[in-house]
Amino acid sequence: MTGGDREDDREGDREEAPVPDRSAFLEQAGRRLGASLHHGRTLRTVARLVLPLLADLAVVVLPVRGRRTSWHRAGPGDTEESGQVPAEALERAPRVADAVSGVQARAAVLPARELDGLDGALPPDLDPGAQALVVQLSGNGVSSGALILVRGPERPGFRDPDIELARQYAARAGLALATAALYSQQAETTAVLQANLAPAPLPAVDGVRLGAAYRPAAHALRISGDFYHVAARPDDGVSFFFGDVCGKGAEAAVLAGLVQQTLRTLALTDSEPVRDLRLLNQLLLGEESRFTTLVTGSARPAPDGGLTVVTAGGGHLPPLILRHDGRVEEVTIDGTLVGVLPEPVFDRTESHLAHGELMLLYSDGVTEARGGPTGYEWYGDERLARTLATWWGMPAGAVAERVELLTTQWLGGRPHDDIAVLVLQAPPCPRRREDAP
C-alpha cells in the first residue's frame, strides 16, 4: 500500500480534515456518479472516486445473481480488476454478505484479512496489517451491493469522520448504481421488444412483388405500435395483415405483439379475414384502451397474370391502388375499430391488380406527419395520392422506400409518429419477343 508519504494521509490531518473539503468531495462525487447511466462505467466510477481520499484500495461487490456475484476493484496507480465469485464465498465474509443482502446497513471496521474468503476480490499480497471498512450501497431502499475500503498499516485507521463520509458517499453511489441497473434492465427489455416486434423479412413469392418500410418513433424508444406481416401461403400467393394499435411505447408494443401472435396463430387454421377480425375483437374486448386498427387479407396470382387481393378491415386507413393509367383509387373497407364494440362491423372487399399495378397500405404516421414549409402542416391523404400517381412503373420496394423518404423529408427532422408502409404489386407485363432489343 502507498500513501504513507502523503501529508494529507496522516492521522491528525485526516481526523481534522476541513468540512468544506469533504463537502466538495461529495458534491463532485454526485456529479461524477450521475454523469452516466451505463452500469459498468458507474461501477468503475464508484470504486475509483474514493481513492486516495478515503482508501488505498476499493472493492465494490454487487448483489448475487443466480449463484454468483460480481466485484470490481480499483487500486494504486489506476489499476483496476473485475471478477466473479460463487455466492457461497460471501458466507466466508459475513460483514460483506450482510451489506450486500441489506441485512446490516451499519458500517463495519475490521481487519482486511477477515475478507480473504472472497476468492480474489482482494489482492493476495495485501499487507496483513491492512484495515477494511465495509459500507452498504443502498439504492432506493434496496441494497445495490457493498463498498469495501482498505487502508494499509502506514495510514491511520478509519475514524468516525471517515466512516460518516464513507456512509454519505455510499448513499450516493448506491443510488447511482441502482439507477444505472434499472436503466440497463429497461434497455435490455427494449432491445428484446425491438427484436421480437420488428417485422420479419418479406418472403419471396412467385407472382407477387412486395415492398415495405418501417420507422418507429424515436420518442417511444423505437418500439413501434405499427406492425405488418406477410407470409407465403402453402397453395399460392401471400397472406398479410397491417395495423396500428392504440397507445405509444412499450405498452403499445405489448399489444402489437399480442395482435400479431393471435393473427399468426389464426393463419395456421383455415383463415378467413372477417372471421379472424371477429375472433381478435372478442379477445381484445374488456381491456380498457386496448384496440387496434387493422387490414388483413390475401393476395393470389390471377389467371390473367395480375393479382386478386382480398382485404377485410377494422377502422384502418383505406389502402390506395395505383392503376396503369396513373389513377389512384381508394379501397373502401367498411369496419369498426377492433376491440371496441361487442358487435363489430367488418366487411370484405376484393380488388384486382393488373400487370404492374399495386396496392399501398400505410399508417397515419405518413399522412399525419407534421412539417413542410410551416413546420405545422400535415402531409395528408391528398398529397400522398398525388405523389403516388407519378410513380407508375416503379417496383414495390422502391415505392415503399420513396414513401418513407418523402415523409422524412417533410418532417424535416421533427419528431414523428410510427411510420409503416407495405406494398403489394402484380408482376409487370411479360415482354413480347418483338419488344426485346
Side-chain angles (χ1 to χ4, degrees):
M1 289 291 169
T2 62
D5 57 340
R6 292 192 297 267
E7 291 297 320
D8 59 347
D9 285 340
R10 294 176 182 170
E11 183 172 2
D13 292 339
R14 178 65 68 202
E15 290 185 56
E16 300 178 6
V19 174
D21 292 346
R22 296 174 179 245
S23 299
F25 164 73
L26 291 174
E27 182 180 352
Q28 180 188 30
R31 290 196 303 268
R32 294 279 300 277
L33 291 169
S36 174
L37 288 175
H38 186 278
H39 190 263
R41 284 195 289 270
T42 302
L43 176 62
R44 293 191 292 272
T45 300
V46 169
R48 175 55 57 186
L49 281 181
V50 292
L51 308 182
L53 177 62
L54 279 173
D56 301 316
L57 182 89
V59 181
V60 178
V61 182
L62 296 178
V64 175
R65 296 187 65 176
R67 294 301 305 165
R68 303 189 69 81
T69 183
S70 299
W71 55 264
H72 182 80
R73 183 175 72 228
D78 293 331
T79 59
E80 296 193 33
E81 190 172 349
S82 297
Q84 290 187 329
V85 296
E88 294 78 11
L90 289 180
E91 298 175 3
R92 298 192 290 270
R95 297 296 182 93
V96 177
D98 288 347
V100 168
S101 64
V103 173
Q104 176 59 268
R106 295 181 60 185
V109 178
L110 65 158
R113 61 177 179 274
E114 292 187 16
L115 304 178
D116 290 342
L118 288 178
D119 290 352
L122 272 69
D125 58 349
L126 193 64
D127 193 298
Q131 187 182 69
L133 172 65
V134 179
V135 189
Q136 179 182 320
L137 295 165
S138 177
N140 293 325
V142 179
S143 176
S144 297
L147 175 64
I148 304 172
L149 304 177
V150 180
R151 288 182 177 179
E154 69 276 11
R155 292 186 61 171
F158 292 100
R159 303 298 180 88
D160 288 344
D162 301 321
I163 296 173
E164 177 60 21
L165 182 60
R167 188 192 63 79
Q168 294 183 41
Y169 173 77
R172 291 162 172 79
L175 182 59
L177 281 171
T179 302
L182 178 60
Y183 180 81
S184 296
Q185 292 170 3
Q186 291 175 337
E188 290 175 5
T189 301
T190 298
V192 171
L193 286 173
Q194 288 173 338
N196 290 339
L197 295 175
L202 297 173
V205 179
D206 291 339
V208 185
R209 284 189 167 188
L210 299 167
Y214 178 76
R215 182 186 290 268
H219 65 78
L221 300 177
R222 301 197 180 278
I223 302 175
S224 180
D226 293 356
F227 58 90
Y228 65 82
H229 178 72
V230 183
R233 296 177 63 93
D235 42 10
D236 58 355
V238 297
S239 60
F240 64 89
F241 54 81
F242 187 100
D244 182 2
V245 302
C246 170
K248 305 294 180 186
E251 181 179 357
V254 171
L255 179 55
L258 172 63
V259 172
Q260 293 187 65
Q261 187 61 41
T262 301
L263 291 175
R264 291 182 186 184
T265 302
L266 291 173
L268 298 176
T269 65
D270 187 13
S271 181
E272 200 285 319
V274 172
R275 186 208 65 171
D276 293 350
L277 289 173
R278 291 187 177 278
L279 290 173
L280 179 61
N281 185 83
Q282 185 176 356
L283 175 66
L284 298 183
L285 277 178
E287 300 289 345
E288 184 178 356
S289 300
R290 294 186 63 170
F291 60 87
T292 184
T293 67
L294 194 64
V295 176
T296 182
S298 63
R300 294 183 176 183
D304 64 356
L307 277 182
T308 299
V309 183
V310 175
T311 50
H316 197 77
L317 299 168
L320 300 177
I321 293 179
L322 174 59
R323 297 299 185 185
H324 67 278
D325 57 2
R327 289 181 296 113
V328 175
E329 301 175 358
E330 280 192 358
V331 181
T332 302
I333 305 177
D334 295 326
T336 54
L337 295 170
V338 183
V340 174
L341 301 176
E343 295 295 334
V345 176
F346 301 126
D347 200 5
R348 180 178 181 275
T349 300
E350 185 173 304
S351 305
H352 179 74
L353 302 180
H355 285 292
E357 294 181 342
L358 61 83
M359 178 181 290
L360 171 69
L361 297 95
Y362 58 95
S363 65
D364 57 12
V366 174
T367 53
E368 295 182 7
R370 195 179 293 273
T374 66
Y376 297 98
E377 185 179 357
W378 279 0
Y379 190 76
D381 304 307
E382 293 183 3
R383 182 176 285 104
L384 176 61
R386 288 198 306 269
T387 305
L388 181 62
T390 66
W391 292 345
W392 168 254
M394 292 178 58
V399 170
E401 292 174 1
R402 188 65 63 88
V403 172
E404 180 189 12
L405 175 63
L406 292 183
T407 305
T408 303
Q409 291 176 342
W410 183 261
L411 288 162
R414 300 174 184 87
H416 63 86
D417 199 353
D418 301 324
I419 296 172
V421 179
L422 177 64
V423 179
L424 308 166
Q425 186 178 38
C429 185
R431 298 178 66 179
R432 296 176 299 180
R433 180 172 301 177
E434 55 269 25
D435 293 335

